[in-house]
Amino acid sequence: MVAALAAGICFWKSGKLPWLLLVAPLFCYLRLWFNMLDGMVAVAAAQASSRGEILNDLPDRVSDVIIFAGVAHSGLSNPLFAYWAAIFALLTAYVGLFGQALGGQREFSGMMSKPWRMVALHVGAWAMVSVIVLILFLALKS
């Protein structure tokens, strides 16, 4: 959650400090890496459990909301889009957990899976940096 908080703060402050858009995705990937390590440690230590699934998932959902709230309040995007992305991230996780509770195999892939959400944020952040640099270049040129 600390990495997600750092990413959310970077996105939030990027309206005034656009260079933070270069850093924010790195914290998103750090979040993914920590999450992967957490799961691997639980499996290797034979500590994986049904209760652990929920305890693992809840901080992930809070982290999603923190990151997308940072994007929403950056001033560089429409807040409605960022909040809808957060809502769909929560719904995606809910459907996965619900399916798992019914005895199905949980899938961690697809367009709204956590890794792809972080890649989309990365692409969007760096595209915004490119647009800002282009605008500054054109302003200085004229």
Side-chain angles (χ1 to χ4, degrees), residues 82-117:
Y83 279 116
W84 275 109
I87 290 167
F88 281 117
L90 294 173
L91 286 174
T92 300
Y94 172 76
V95 169
L97 276 174
F98 187 64
Q100 188 176 4
L102 292 176
Q105 177 66 33
R106 186 154 181 205
E107 291 290 324
F108 294 97
S109 60
M111 279 178 75
M112 283 301 288
S113 66
K114 185 174 13 179
W116 287 111
R117 287 192 303 268

Short mmCIF file of all heavy atoms in Angstrom, two decimals, residues 82-117:
data_model
loop_
_atom_site.label_atom_id
_atom_site.label_comp_id
_atom_site.label_asym_id
_atom_site.label_seq_id
_atom_site.Cartn_x
_atom_site.Cartn_y
_atom_site.Cartn_z
N ALA A 82 -11.34 8.74 -14.17
CA ALA A 82 -10.47 8.09 -13.18
C ALA A 82 -11.30 7.36 -12.13
O ALA A 82 -10.97 6.24 -11.73
CB ALA A 82 -9.55 9.12 -12.53
N TYR A 83 -12.37 7.99 -11.68
CA TYR A 83 -13.20 7.32 -10.67
C TYR A 83 -13.95 6.14 -11.26
O TYR A 83 -14.15 5.13 -10.57
CB TYR A 83 -14.14 8.31 -9.98
CG TYR A 83 -13.42 9.07 -8.89
CD1 TYR A 83 -13.25 10.44 -8.98
CD2 TYR A 83 -12.89 8.41 -7.80
CE1 TYR A 83 -12.57 11.13 -7.99
CE2 TYR A 83 -12.21 9.09 -6.80
CZ TYR A 83 -12.06 10.45 -6.90
OH TYR A 83 -11.38 11.12 -5.92
N TRP A 84 -14.38 6.22 -12.50
CA TRP A 84 -15.00 5.05 -13.13
C TRP A 84 -14.00 3.92 -13.28
O TRP A 84 -14.34 2.74 -13.13
CB TRP A 84 -15.64 5.40 -14.47
CG TRP A 84 -17.03 5.94 -14.29
CD1 TRP A 84 -17.45 7.21 -14.47
CD2 TRP A 84 -18.18 5.19 -13.86
NE1 TRP A 84 -18.79 7.30 -14.16
CE2 TRP A 84 -19.26 6.08 -13.79
CE3 TRP A 84 -18.39 3.86 -13.52
CZ2 TRP A 84 -20.54 5.69 -13.41
CZ3 TRP A 84 -19.67 3.47 -13.12
CH2 TRP A 84 -20.72 4.37 -13.08
N ALA A 85 -12.75 4.25 -13.59
CA ALA A 85 -11.71 3.22 -13.66
C ALA A 85 -11.55 2.54 -12.30
O ALA A 85 -11.42 1.31 -12.22
CB ALA A 85 -10.39 3.82 -14.12
N ALA A 86 -11.58 3.33 -11.23
CA ALA A 86 -11.48 2.76 -9.88
C ALA A 86 -12.68 1.86 -9.59
O ALA A 86 -12.52 0.77 -9.03
CB ALA A 86 -11.38 3.87 -8.84
N ILE A 87 -13.86 2.31 -9.97
CA ILE A 87 -15.07 1.50 -9.75
C ILE A 87 -15.00 0.19 -10.50
O ILE A 87 -15.29 -0.88 -9.95
CB ILE A 87 -16.33 2.30 -10.15
CG1 ILE A 87 -16.57 3.43 -9.14
CG2 ILE A 87 -17.56 1.39 -10.25
CD1 ILE A 87 -17.59 4.46 -9.58
N PHE A 88 -14.56 0.23 -11.76
CA PHE A 88 -14.46 -1.02 -12.53
C PHE A 88 -13.35 -1.92 -12.01
O PHE A 88 -13.47 -3.15 -12.09
CB PHE A 88 -14.28 -0.72 -14.02
CG PHE A 88 -15.57 -0.36 -14.70
CD1 PHE A 88 -15.75 0.89 -15.26
CD2 PHE A 88 -16.62 -1.26 -14.75
CE1 PHE A 88 -16.95 1.24 -15.87
CE2 PHE A 88 -17.83 -0.93 -15.36
CZ PHE A 88 -17.99 0.33 -15.92
N ALA A 89 -12.29 -1.33 -11.46
CA ALA A 89 -11.25 -2.16 -10.83
C ALA A 89 -11.84 -2.91 -9.63
O ALA A 89 -11.57 -4.10 -9.43
CB ALA A 89 -10.07 -1.29 -10.40
N LEU A 90 -12.64 -2.21 -8.84
CA LEU A 90 -13.29 -2.85 -7.69
C LEU A 90 -14.27 -3.93 -8.15
O LEU A 90 -14.33 -5.02 -7.56
CB LEU A 90 -14.01 -1.81 -6.84
CG LEU A 90 -13.13 -0.78 -6.14
CD1 LEU A 90 -13.98 0.29 -5.47
CD2 LEU A 90 -12.21 -1.44 -5.14
N LEU A 91 -15.04 -3.63 -9.19
CA LEU A 91 -16.01 -4.62 -9.70
C LEU A 91 -15.31 -5.85 -10.26
O LEU A 91 -15.78 -6.98 -10.07
CB LEU A 91 -16.91 -3.99 -10.76
CG LEU A 91 -17.97 -3.03 -10.25
CD1 LEU A 91 -18.69 -2.35 -11.41
CD2 LEU A 91 -18.96 -3.74 -9.35
N THR A 92 -14.20 -5.64 -10.95
CA THR A 92 -13.44 -6.77 -11.50
C THR A 92 -12.97 -7.69 -10.38
O THR A 92 -13.09 -8.91 -10.46
CB THR A 92 -12.23 -6.25 -12.31
OG1 THR A 92 -12.72 -5.44 -13.37
CG2 THR A 92 -11.41 -7.38 -12.87
N ALA A 93 -12.44 -7.09 -9.32
CA ALA A 93 -11.98 -7.90 -8.17
C ALA A 93 -13.15 -8.59 -7.49
O ALA A 93 -13.06 -9.75 -7.09
CB ALA A 93 -11.24 -7.01 -7.19
N TYR A 94 -14.26 -7.89 -7.37
CA TYR A 94 -15.45 -8.47 -6.73
C TYR A 94 -15.93 -9.69 -7.50
O TYR A 94 -16.21 -10.73 -6.91
CB TYR A 94 -16.56 -7.43 -6.63
CG TYR A 94 -17.87 -8.01 -6.16
CD1 TYR A 94 -18.06 -8.31 -4.82
CD2 TYR A 94 -18.90 -8.28 -7.06
CE1 TYR A 94 -19.26 -8.86 -4.39
CE2 TYR A 94 -20.08 -8.83 -6.64
CZ TYR A 94 -20.26 -9.12 -5.30
OH TYR A 94 -21.44 -9.66 -4.88
N VAL A 95 -16.01 -9.56 -8.80
CA VAL A 95 -16.46 -10.70 -9.63
C VAL A 95 -15.49 -11.87 -9.49
O VAL A 95 -15.92 -13.02 -9.38
CB VAL A 95 -16.63 -10.27 -11.10
CG1 VAL A 95 -16.83 -11.46 -12.01
CG2 VAL A 95 -17.79 -9.29 -11.24
N GLY A 96 -14.19 -11.59 -9.46
CA GLY A 96 -13.20 -12.65 -9.29
C GLY A 96 -13.34 -13.36 -7.96
O GLY A 96 -13.33 -14.60 -7.89
N LEU A 97 -13.48 -12.59 -6.89
CA LEU A 97 -13.66 -13.19 -5.57
C LEU A 97 -14.98 -13.94 -5.46
O LEU A 97 -15.05 -15.01 -4.85
CB LEU A 97 -13.60 -12.12 -4.48
CG LEU A 97 -12.22 -11.71 -4.00
CD1 LEU A 97 -12.31 -10.54 -3.03
CD2 LEU A 97 -11.50 -12.87 -3.35
N PHE A 98 -16.03 -13.39 -6.05
CA PHE A 98 -17.33 -14.04 -6.01
C PHE A 98 -17.28 -15.38 -6.75
O PHE A 98 -17.77 -16.39 -6.26
CB PHE A 98 -18.38 -13.11 -6.63
CG PHE A 98 -19.79 -13.62 -6.51
CD1 PHE A 98 -20.38 -13.76 -5.26
CD2 PHE A 98 -20.53 -13.92 -7.63
CE1 PHE A 98 -21.67 -14.21 -5.13
CE2 PHE A 98 -21.83 -14.38 -7.52
CZ PHE A 98 -22.41 -14.52 -6.27
N GLY A 99 -16.66 -15.38 -7.91
CA GLY A 99 -16.50 -16.62 -8.66
C GLY A 99 -15.69 -17.65 -7.90
O GLY A 99 -16.01 -18.84 -7.88
N GLN A 100 -14.65 -17.19 -7.24
CA GLN A 100 -13.81 -18.09 -6.43
C GLN A 100 -14.61 -18.64 -5.26
O GLN A 100 -14.49 -19.82 -4.92
CB GLN A 100 -12.59 -17.33 -5.95
CG GLN A 100 -11.56 -18.20 -5.27
CD GLN A 100 -10.32 -17.40 -4.89
OE1 GLN A 100 -10.26 -16.18 -5.07
NE2 GLN A 100 -9.32 -18.09 -4.39
N ALA A 101 -15.44 -17.81 -4.64
CA ALA A 101 -16.27 -18.27 -3.52
C ALA A 101 -17.28 -19.33 -3.96
O ALA A 101 -17.65 -20.20 -3.17
CB ALA A 101 -17.00 -17.08 -2.89
N LEU A 102 -17.69 -19.25 -5.22
CA LEU A 102 -18.62 -20.24 -5.75
C LEU A 102 -17.93 -21.50 -6.23
O LEU A 102 -18.58 -22.41 -6.72
CB LEU A 102 -19.44 -19.63 -6.90
CG LEU A 102 -20.42 -18.52 -6.49
CD1 LEU A 102 -21.09 -17.94 -7.71
CD2 LEU A 102 -21.46 -19.05 -5.51
N GLY A 103 -16.61 -21.54 -6.10
CA GLY A 103 -15.87 -22.74 -6.45
C GLY A 103 -15.16 -22.69 -7.78
O GLY A 103 -14.55 -23.66 -8.21
N GLY A 104 -15.23 -21.55 -8.44
CA GLY A 104 -14.55 -21.41 -9.74
C GLY A 104 -13.08 -21.08 -9.57
O GLY A 104 -12.60 -20.77 -8.48
N GLN A 105 -12.37 -21.15 -10.66
CA GLN A 105 -10.95 -20.80 -10.68
C GLN A 105 -10.83 -19.31 -10.95
O GLN A 105 -11.37 -18.82 -11.94
CB GLN A 105 -10.22 -21.60 -11.77
CG GLN A 105 -8.75 -21.27 -11.92
CD GLN A 105 -7.94 -21.67 -10.70
OE1 GLN A 105 -8.24 -22.64 -10.03
NE2 GLN A 105 -6.92 -20.89 -10.40
N ARG A 106 -10.15 -18.60 -10.10
CA ARG A 106 -10.01 -17.16 -10.27
C ARG A 106 -8.99 -16.86 -11.36
O ARG A 106 -7.91 -17.45 -11.39
CB ARG A 106 -9.57 -16.52 -8.96
CG ARG A 106 -9.56 -15.02 -9.05
CD ARG A 106 -9.76 -14.39 -7.73
NE ARG A 106 -9.76 -12.94 -7.87
CZ ARG A 106 -9.45 -12.12 -6.90
NH1 ARG A 106 -9.15 -12.62 -5.73
NH2 ARG A 106 -9.47 -10.84 -7.08
N GLU A 107 -9.35 -15.93 -12.23
CA GLU A 107 -8.47 -15.50 -13.31
C GLU A 107 -7.86 -14.15 -12.97
O GLU A 107 -8.56 -13.26 -12.50
CB GLU A 107 -9.24 -15.39 -14.63
CG GLU A 107 -9.70 -16.71 -15.20
CD GLU A 107 -8.56 -17.56 -15.71
OE1 GLU A 107 -7.59 -16.98 -16.25
OE2 GLU A 107 -8.63 -18.78 -15.57
N PHE A 108 -6.58 -14.01 -13.19
CA PHE A 108 -5.90 -12.75 -12.94
C PHE A 108 -5.38 -12.18 -14.26
O PHE A 108 -4.27 -11.70 -14.35
CB PHE A 108 -4.74 -12.94 -11.96
CG PHE A 108 -5.20 -13.35 -10.59
CD1 PHE A 108 -5.20 -14.68 -10.22
CD2 PHE A 108 -5.64 -12.40 -9.69
CE1 PHE A 108 -5.63 -15.06 -8.95
CE2 PHE A 108 -6.07 -12.76 -8.43
CZ PHE A 108 -6.06 -14.09 -8.05
N SER A 109 -6.22 -12.24 -15.28
CA SER A 109 -5.82 -11.74 -16.59
C SER A 109 -6.99 -10.98 -17.20
O SER A 109 -8.06 -10.90 -16.62
CB SER A 109 -5.42 -12.91 -17.49
OG SER A 109 -6.51 -13.80 -17.64
N GLY A 110 -6.77 -10.43 -18.36
CA GLY A 110 -7.82 -9.67 -19.03
C GLY A 110 -7.53 -8.19 -18.99
O GLY A 110 -6.59 -7.73 -18.36
N MET A 111 -8.37 -7.43 -19.69
CA MET A 111 -8.14 -6.00 -19.85
C MET A 111 -8.13 -5.21 -18.54
O MET A 111 -7.40 -4.25 -18.41
CB MET A 111 -9.20 -5.40 -20.78
CG MET A 111 -8.91 -5.61 -22.23
SD MET A 111 -10.22 -4.95 -23.26
CE MET A 111 -9.91 -3.22 -23.15
N MET A 112 -8.94 -5.59 -17.59
CA MET A 112 -9.00 -4.83 -16.35
C MET A 112 -8.22 -5.49 -15.21
O MET A 112 -8.38 -5.11 -14.06
CB MET A 112 -10.46 -4.62 -15.92
CG MET A 112 -11.19 -3.54 -16.69
SD MET A 112 -10.40 -1.92 -16.57
CE MET A 112 -10.77 -1.46 -14.89
N SER A 113 -7.38 -6.46 -15.52
CA SER A 113 -6.57 -7.06 -14.47
C SER A 113 -5.56 -6.04 -13.96
O SER A 113 -5.24 -5.06 -14.63
CB SER A 113 -5.86 -8.31 -14.98
OG SER A 113 -4.92 -7.96 -15.97
N LYS A 114 -5.08 -6.27 -12.76
CA LYS A 114 -4.20 -5.29 -12.12
C LYS A 114 -2.96 -4.95 -12.96
O LYS A 114 -2.64 -3.77 -13.12
CB LYS A 114 -3.80 -5.80 -10.73
CG LYS A 114 -2.99 -4.81 -9.96
CD LYS A 114 -2.70 -5.22 -8.54
CE LYS A 114 -2.98 -6.65 -8.26
NZ LYS A 114 -2.70 -7.10 -6.93
N PRO A 115 -2.26 -5.94 -13.52
CA PRO A 115 -1.09 -5.57 -14.32
C PRO A 115 -1.44 -4.68 -15.52
O PRO A 115 -0.73 -3.73 -15.81
CB PRO A 115 -0.52 -6.91 -14.78
CG PRO A 115 -1.01 -7.90 -13.79
CD PRO A 115 -2.35 -7.40 -13.34
N TRP A 116 -2.55 -4.98 -16.17
CA TRP A 116 -2.92 -4.18 -17.34
C TRP A 116 -3.40 -2.79 -16.95
O TRP A 116 -3.20 -1.83 -17.69
CB TRP A 116 -3.94 -4.91 -18.20
CG TRP A 116 -3.30 -6.04 -18.94
CD1 TRP A 116 -3.49 -7.37 -18.73
CD2 TRP A 116 -2.31 -5.93 -19.97
NE1 TRP A 116 -2.68 -8.09 -19.57
CE2 TRP A 116 -1.96 -7.24 -20.35
CE3 TRP A 116 -1.70 -4.86 -20.61
CZ2 TRP A 116 -1.01 -7.49 -21.33
CZ3 TRP A 116 -0.75 -5.12 -21.60
CH2 TRP A 116 -0.42 -6.42 -21.94
N ARG A 117 -4.02 -2.67 -15.77
CA ARG A 117 -4.40 -1.33 -15.29
C ARG A 117 -3.15 -0.49 -15.06
O ARG A 117 -3.11 0.69 -15.40
CB ARG A 117 -5.20 -1.43 -13.99
CG ARG A 117 -6.59 -1.94 -14.15
CD ARG A 117 -7.43 -1.74 -12.91
NE ARG A 117 -6.92 -2.35 -11.70
CZ ARG A 117 -7.23 -3.57 -11.26
NH1 ARG A 117 -8.05 -4.34 -11.97
NH2 ARG A 117 -6.72 -4.03 -10.13
#
